[in-house]
Amino acid sequence: QYHAYHKPISLLIISKLEMGDAVDEHELTLCCALCCANCSTLPCASGWCGVSGKVGCCCLNIEVCLKPGAPCLPLCCCGPTCDGCKGLSSQLQCCCVVLNAAIPCNDEVPVAVVVGGLMLFPKCGCCVKQREIMER
């Protein structure tokens, strides 16, 4: 099985932006997390320059993206979108810091417990990449 995180980083940035997702969750390193909320960092080569955010309730999402190379949203840099019902979710990225939360947890926000970069659940480790726990 071929996963996106096996691609070179430059291709990851392009493919994620083309798909309309400003943050590649596979590249995030978890710093702290409690259940369905986390704070992570993006590596320097993962397109961390800029600011992006999205908030969703059921099927309505509001997105903001001020990143170089990002696709235009309906109102230039922000806009509403509508997709499948997902409960509550939010994501905020400013430079290399990313905050995520979701109720219930989803593919972009897996259940985790991390304190100061030390992961306690669902596996033990230090500076664990989110991709390592996303497909459990």
Side-chain angles (χ1 to χ4, degrees), residues 17-85:
L17 290 175
E18 286 173 354
M19 291 173 15
D21 196 349
V23 175
D24 182 3
E25 288 80 13
H26 286 96
E27 292 301 310
L28 296 176
T29 301
L30 292 161
C31 298
C32 59
L34 182 59
C35 295
C36 297
N38 65 53
C39 177
S40 308
T41 59
L42 274 170
C44 293
S46 289
W48 61 267
C49 182
V51 175
S52 70
K54 62 183 174 181
V55 176
C57 181
C58 293
C59 64
L60 180 63
N61 297 310
I62 303 297
E63 298 185 41
V64 175
C65 189
L66 299 168
K67 295 180 79 167
C72 274
L73 293 168
L75 301 173
C76 212
C77 67
C78 64
T81 58
C82 194
D83 55 14
C85 193

